[in-house]
Amino acid sequence: MNLSHDLEAHAANVLAIVAAIITLAFVPAAEAGAAEPCPNAAFRTGASASLPDCRAFELVGPPGNADYTVQGLAAQPGGDALYWRVPGGEQVADPADPDGGLGDVFLARRGGAGWNSTWLTPDPAGRPFGEASLGIPGMKADGFLFFSQAGWTTAGWANTEPALYVEDGSSAQEPVSVAPGTAAEPGLDPFQWTVSQDLSSTVFATTAALDPADTDGNTDIYLRRGDSLELISKNTDGTADNSAATPFLPAAASGNVDGTFGDGSLNFSEQSLTGFPTSQGGSPVSADGRSVVFSTTAQLDPADTDNAADLYLWREGQGLRLISDDERSTPGCPTVPASTEDCALDASFVGMSEDASVIYFRTAEGLVDGDTDGGNDIYEYRVDAPAGHRLTLATGPGTSNAVYPVSVTADGQLFFATADRVGVDPPSGTGVVLYRWDGTAIQTVAELNDADIFQGPNLAAFGIASPAPAQRAVRATADGSVLLFRTAAALEPADTDGAADLYLWRAGSGVTRVSGNGSAPVAVGTDGSGPLGASYPGYGGGRVITADASRVFFTSTDALTPDAGPNGRAKLYEWQEGDGIHLVSPPGADAGAISYIDNGVDGANVFFMTADSLVAGDTDGGAIDTYDARVGGGVAEPPPPPAPCTGEGCQGPPASSPGLPMTGSISFVGEGNVPLVPGKASVGVAKAMAVTGTAAKLRVRVPGPGRITVAGSRVRRTGTSVPKAGTYPVKIVLNAAAKKALGKRKKVKVKVRVSYRTDDGRNASKAVTIAFKQPGAKATMTKSTTTRKGH
C-alpha cells in the first residue's frame, strides 16, 4: 500500500471539491438564494460574517506579527497572486544582513494552505550602503522588473551606477541594462524604462554604447529579451542614429497641457517606477514586447523633414516606421497654404491597443485633408492598413483646441472628451462631452458638468491632471462596450447629492449610477483618505471593474449601506449589476480606514490595506497589512506551537553516521500562512571544504516535485526540475569574472542562494558559501558547521 500516493490522491479530490464549492459560491445571492448557507461558514466569523457573496477575509501580507507597514501594488488577473512592497526600512524576516535598504517587493501567491510571499528584491548581504529598489510587476507574468540605484553584481560594491534586474521569484538575474556577459556600465536613465506585460521584454534608455554601431555617446533606446539585445532608436534604413537628438519613451498624453502649438512637453512625463505598467492603453510597449513606440526630434526617416517631436514604431522583424507623418493629398501645411514644408508641430503619444495594431497620438498639425482647424486633434494610426491610408482623424472635424484623451481600450477603441459637437449623435449645448471612437464612428457617452472642469479646460472627472492613466477615475472594458467614469454632473434624476459620482456607460443602454447617493465624493484607488494618506502619492489604480463590468469596486467615506459605520473613514464598496451596493471592507463604527489596491478580473478577489486585525493570524498590533476579501475564501489558522520539551524528551534521536560529503544541502518542510519567505526551511553544511577548480556540486534535498535554482553574483545561474522527493546534484560553475579573480588570487569565496519552488508555488531558499581553490594551490580545510534556520 502506497500511503503517500493515497494521501495525495485524497488531497486532490478534496481540492477539486473545494474548487467546485468556491465556483458555486460565486453566484450572486439573487440567483443562488439568500437563505443558502455559505460552504465556508467556518471562516465567516467576526468582521467577515456579513460580507456579500460568501466572501471571507484572508491575510495576504505580511503574515504573522511583522511590525512594519506594507504597500499593496497590484494583483495578477486571476486574483491568486499580488505584489506588495515594504515602503522603507528593514524587514523583520529579511533573509539578508541589514543593509539600510529603502524597501523590498514581494510576490504573494495563494496555495492550498493560504498565502505565501516570495522575496523579489533581495539586498546583498554586507552591502555598505542603502539603495532604492523600485519596480514594475508584470501584470500577466509571475515575476518582476526592478530598478536599483546601484549595480549589485560588481565585486566590492564599487559600482554605484543604476541597473535594471528581472526577478523570477527565486533570485535576481544579471542586470538587463547591460550587454550580456559584461560588467554593469553607466548611463541608464532611471526614468526611462519599462517592461512588457508578459515580462519577456525590457525597454530602456541609456548613454552606454551597447551596440558597436552606437558611437555618439548620447541616449539611445534598447530592447532586451533574454540574452538578445537590440538598438531600436535607429534610422529606418537600419543604420545607427548618431545625431545629438535624444529619443525617449513617451508617457501617454494626459491632457494637462493646453495650447495651439502641440503637446511636446507631455512626451517628457516620467515613467512610473513604483506602479504597474500603465493600464488603459498607456504603455508604449505592446503586451508581448514585440512592438515599441518612442518619440524623438531626430529625422530617422527621409519623410521626416522637421525638428518637431515625431513618433516612431519599432516592430520585431519589420524594423522602424515613422507613424506621425502626414497623408495629405497635396503638400503644405493647411494653416499656411503657401508652405511646402510640414507644419513642424509636435506629436504626443496617446495610447495603443495591447497588440500595437492601433496607435493614437495627438497633434495640432493637420495630417489629413479636412483637418484645417489648427487645434489639437487625436489621430488613429492602423499599422496594417495600406501606406497612405493609415491615418484617420478620430476626434472629428472640431474647431477647438481642447480635445482630451481619456482611455484606449485593449482592442484599440478611443474615449475622449471635448467641448466640440462631433459624431453621429452630438448633444445640444456648449459644455464638455465624453465620446467614444470605435474605429468607424464617434458616439456620445455623456455630457459633463462644469464642476468637472478646473484650471481651464482640464477635466477633474478623469483625473487628467495626473500623467498616469492608471490613476484616472475611468476604466474601460477590453472591447470598449463599457466605460466607468466619475462626474459631478447629475446624469439621472436620483442624483441629487452634488458630489462626484461613478457612472457606468454601456453601449446601447446609456448610463447607470453605481456609487449611491452619499454626500462625499467617491474614489477609485488610494485617494488620500486611507491609512496611507498623502504620504505615498502615485499608488492606487487597480482594475476597479470586472472583465464583464458586472461589478465595480470603489471607496467612499460615506456609510452607503446599513452595516457601514458612519465614522468618516474610507470604506470599500462593491456594486453588483442587479443587486446594488455591498460593503466589502469591515463593518461597524470601529472599522479603520482602508485603501483599495486591486481586484481580479472576475471580482472573486478584491484586495485592500488596513491597520485593523481581521483574522487571528494578524498579530502585529496595528501595522498596515494587505487583505483579500475572497469569494468562498478563508484560511485555516496555523496550529499552536508544541509545548516545550522536558527531561529526556529534549535529547533528540541518537546521532547517525555521517553520509557522503557534500558542499551544502537544503531541505524544505511544511507549509502555511506564517513564514514571510514561504516554507519552513533549514540548511545543514555537513563538510565545508575548499573546492579545487571552477566548478562544485551541491546535493540538494527536496520533499517533492518542483524546481531547484542556484544563483549568485559570481556564478552561472542554473536550474533543474525534479520529479519527486529526493536528493539531487546541482552543478555550480564560476562565471567569467569569478574565474579571472580565482586565477589572480588562487582562492575565492562565493555566496550562492539555493532556491526550491514546489509545483503549487511554495518556496524556500538558503544561502551557501563555497570556497574555490586554484588547482595546484595548497588545500585548506575549514571547520565543519551545521546551520539551521526556520522551524
Side-chain angles (χ1 to χ4, degrees):
M1 178 179 179
N2 190 330
L3 180 58
S4 175
H5 180 273
D6 290 345
L7 288 175
E8 290 178 2
H10 176 69
N13 290 334
V14 171
L15 289 175
I17 294 172
V18 171
I21 291 173
I22 292 175
T23 301
L24 289 173
F26 194 38
V27 177
E31 296 177 18
E36 289 292 328
C38 290
N40 60 333
F43 301 111
R44 287 171 47 80
T45 59
S48 296
S50 61
L51 292 180
D53 300 322
C54 292
R55 294 185 187 269
F57 292 131
E58 296 181 355
L59 179 62
V60 176
N65 60 350
D67 58 355
Y68 46 85
T69 291
V70 304
Q71 172 66 62
L73 291 178
Q76 291 181 347
D80 287 332
L82 177 86
Y83 295 92
W84 59 274
R85 177 175 179 259
V86 180
E90 284 297 315
Q91 296 81 273
V92 174
D94 190 332
D97 296 336
D99 59 9
L102 300 179
D104 287 301
V105 176
F106 296 81
L107 174 60
R109 300 183 188 87
R110 191 184 191 279
W115 291 88
N116 291 295
S117 293
T118 300
W119 187 33
L120 293 185
T121 51
D123 302 315
R127 193 177 188 84
F129 53 85
E131 80 292 320
S133 298
L134 304 174
I136 300 178
M139 296 302 293
K140 294 183 178 178
D142 191 12
F144 195 72
L145 175 81
F146 63 96
F147 163 82
S148 176
Q149 282 182 341
W152 290 359
T153 58
T154 303
W157 316 119
N159 181 12
T160 59
E161 294 296 333
L164 294 173
Y165 295 81
V166 171
E167 168 62 59
D168 68 356
S170 57
S171 56
Q173 299 178 9
E174 293 296 309
V176 301
S177 61
V178 299
T182 67
E185 298 183 41
L188 176 70
D189 186 335
F191 302 111
Q192 285 284 292
W193 55 272
T194 189
V195 63
S196 59
Q197 287 186 351
D198 64 0
L199 280 186
S200 67
S201 307
T202 307
V203 184
F204 57 93
T206 180
T207 57
L210 305 183
D211 185 302
D214 180 5
T215 61
D216 58 8
N218 296 322
T219 297
D220 285 290
I221 299 175
Y222 286 84
L223 178 141
R224 180 147 185 191
R225 182 182 296 114
D227 288 334
S228 173
L229 185 72
E230 183 166 354
L231 172 65
I232 64 173
S233 57
K234 51 190 176 184
N235 295 309
T236 53
D237 63 4
T239 60
D241 168 45
N242 287 313
S243 67
T246 301
F248 50 90
L249 294 172
S254 57
N256 58 344
V257 171
D258 180 33
T260 59
F261 300 100
D263 301 313
S265 58
L266 288 178
N267 289 309
F268 297 93
S269 301
E270 296 177 358
Q271 293 287 313
S272 171
L273 299 182
T274 52
F276 47 88
T278 348
S279 64
Q280 305 297 312
S283 175
V285 179
S286 63
D288 62 3
R290 301 183 185 277
S291 299
V292 179
V293 172
F294 67 90
S295 182
T296 183
T297 57
Q299 298 170 9
L300 305 182
D301 187 282
D304 185 359
T305 59
D306 57 42
N307 293 318
D310 282 295
L311 293 175
Y312 284 84
L313 169 67
W314 173 89
R315 300 196 90 181
E316 184 178 62
Q318 300 180 23
L320 198 66
R321 179 192 296 184
L322 172 64
I323 65 174
S324 57
D325 190 27
D326 72 87
E327 294 182 348
R328 297 187 296 271
S329 58
T330 56
C333 178
T335 57
V336 188
S339 172
T340 58
E341 298 180 355
D342 287 345
C343 299
L345 297 178
D346 293 333
S348 294
F349 176 71
V350 166
M352 65 185 184
S353 60
E354 282 194 353
D355 64 0
S357 63
V358 181
I359 303 169
Y360 292 94
F361 62 91
R362 187 171 64 173
T363 183
E365 181 177 346
L367 300 181
V368 296
D369 294 336
D371 182 3
T372 59
D373 55 28
N376 278 318
D377 296 290
I378 299 176
Y379 282 88
E380 175 196 80
Y381 183 91
R382 291 199 171 263
V383 176
D384 297 329
H389 301 277
R390 292 168 177 158
L391 287 179
T392 302
L393 187 57
T395 50
T399 58
S400 73
N401 192 53
V403 175
Y404 302 101
V406 171
S407 178
V408 177
T409 66
D411 68 351
Q413 298 185 54
L414 170 72
F415 288 92
F416 67 95
T418 180
D420 291 333
R421 266 42 189 174
V422 295
V424 297
D425 56 349
S428 59
T430 58
V432 177
V433 181
L434 178 60
Y435 295 98
R436 179 186 70 163
W437 162 257
D438 63 3
T440 59
I442 299 172
Q443 181 180 1
T444 297
V445 174
E447 294 183 73
L448 301 177
N449 191 291
D450 289 341
D452 300 326
I453 303 174
F454 70 105
Q455 295 180 355
N458 293 327
L459 304 178
F462 310 114
I464 283 182
S466 166
Q471 306 297 320
R472 302 177 187 170
V474 57
R475 297 293 186 274
T477 55
D479 64 358
S481 64
V482 180
L483 181 76
L484 177 77
F485 63 98
R486 185 174 63 179
T487 178
L491 302 184
E492 62 178 31
D495 185 358
T496 60
D497 53 27
D501 289 299
L502 288 175
Y503 280 86
L504 198 71
W505 172 84
R506 290 185 184 274
S509 302
V511 295
T512 301
R513 186 163 52 112
V514 302
S515 56
N517 202 31
S519 58
V522 296
V524 297
T526 301
D527 63 349
S529 59
L532 298 180
S535 300
Y536 302 98
Y539 292 98
R543 292 178 178 84
V544 181
I545 61 175
T546 55
D548 62 358
S550 64
R551 296 163 186 264
V552 176
F553 299 96
F554 63 93
T555 59
S556 175
T557 56
D558 284 330
L560 301 179
T561 61
D563 53 345
N567 53 18
R569 299 169 187 153
K571 305 163 187 62
L572 177 59
Y573 293 97
E574 172 189 14
W575 172 87
Q576 295 183 21
E577 186 176 20
D579 199 33
I581 298 173
H582 301 272
L583 181 68
V584 178
S585 57
D590 295 332
I594 62 90
S595 287
Y596 163 83
I597 301 171
D598 205 352
N599 56 271
V601 293
D602 64 357
N605 297 271
V606 55
F607 301 93
F608 62 95
M609 290 174 288
T610 181
D612 290 348
S613 295
L614 306 182
V615 297
D618 184 356
T619 58
D620 53 25
I624 296 174
D625 299 295
T626 299
Y627 278 90
D628 177 14
R630 183 182 181 91
V631 170
V635 176
E637 297 296 332
C645 62
T646 58
E648 294 184 357
C650 297
Q651 298 303 315
S656 59
S657 300
L660 295 175
M662 53 186 171
T663 305
S665 65
I666 177 173
S667 61
F668 175 99
V669 295
E671 62 181 15
N673 200 34
V674 177
L676 184 62
V677 178
K680 304 172 182 179
S682 63
V683 171
V685 181
K687 285 189 177 182
M689 63 178 64
V691 176
T692 301
T694 60
K697 184 177 289 186
L698 291 179
R699 296 182 61 81
V700 182
R701 292 194 306 270
V702 295
R707 183 168 179 82
I708 301 169
T709 305
V710 179
S713 62
R714 310 185 79 177
V715 300
R716 296 178 185 173
R717 182 183 179 88
T718 59
T720 182
S721 297
V722 295
K724 60 182 179 179
T727 301
Y728 297 89
V730 179
K731 191 175 183 180
I732 310 298
V733 180
L734 295 179
N735 60 23
K739 289 178 180 178
K740 186 176 180 180
L742 179 64
K744 290 182 178 180
R745 305 174 190 171
K746 308 304 180 186
K747 187 165 107 174
V748 295
K749 286 187 177 181
V750 173
K751 186 174 182 179
V752 300
R753 183 166 292 275
V754 182
S755 304
Y756 166 62
R757 178 183 292 177
T758 67
D759 285 347
D760 64 0
R762 293 171 294 129
N763 290 265
S765 63
K766 288 296 173 182
V768 178
T769 300
I770 308 171
F772 288 83
K773 181 172 68 69
Q774 179 77 359
K778 186 177 180 180
T780 303
M781 300 292 292
T782 61
K783 183 179 179 181
S784 297
T785 60
T786 299
T787 304
R788 296 189 63 83
K789 283 188 176 182
H791 48 284

